[in-house]
Amino acid sequence: MSDTDYVLGKVQQAFKAAFDVDSNQVTLDTSASDIPLWDSVGHLSLASNLEEVFGISLDVDELMEMENVREIVRVIAPKVAEKARSASQ
């Protein structure tokens, strides 16, 4: 399993928790227009779930960049890799 697949799987879990959607419907191509509840309030709920699922913190700039699942994975993947490196030291 690639890092992207791992991160995408966890992102799918966060989407399920935030929006109660079938996680299999969440792909790298999913954007806010595909998820009816993904509005500004939903984005905050999603961010909270992402932080919980991954055990990370997201700053405001990162939240602004996360307009679709591909960008969410792009923002989170380096944080997950860094966390894994720190844990193995």
Side-chain angles (χ1 to χ4, degrees):
M1 175 181 282
S2 74
D3 289 345
T4 299
D5 290 338
Y6 170 78
V7 172
L8 178 58
K10 295 285 195 177
V11 167
Q12 289 169 325
Q13 290 176 14
F15 269 80
K16 172 73 174 152
F19 304 122
D20 194 29
V21 296
D22 180 356
S23 58
N24 292 324
Q25 293 180 337
V26 178
T27 69
L28 289 173
D29 296 320
T30 301
S31 66
S33 63
D34 300 318
I35 308 289
L37 296 175
W38 191 358
D39 56 14
S40 58
V41 174
H43 195 71
L44 295 176
S45 176
L46 175 61
S48 175
N49 281 294
L50 290 167
E51 289 178 332
E52 185 175 328
V53 165
F54 288 102
I56 59 171
S57 293
L58 297 165
D59 65 32
V60 173
D61 289 336
E62 291 166 333
L63 293 176
M64 298 294 290
E65 293 173 23
M66 297 183 343
E67 297 177 351
N68 56 54
V69 173
R70 188 175 310 278
E71 288 301 305
I72 291 170
V73 170
R74 184 192 63 74
V75 167
I76 290 177
K79 291 178 171 285
V80 170
E82 178 61 32
K83 187 176 174 188
R85 276 192 297 276
S86 296
S88 67
Q89 292 179 353

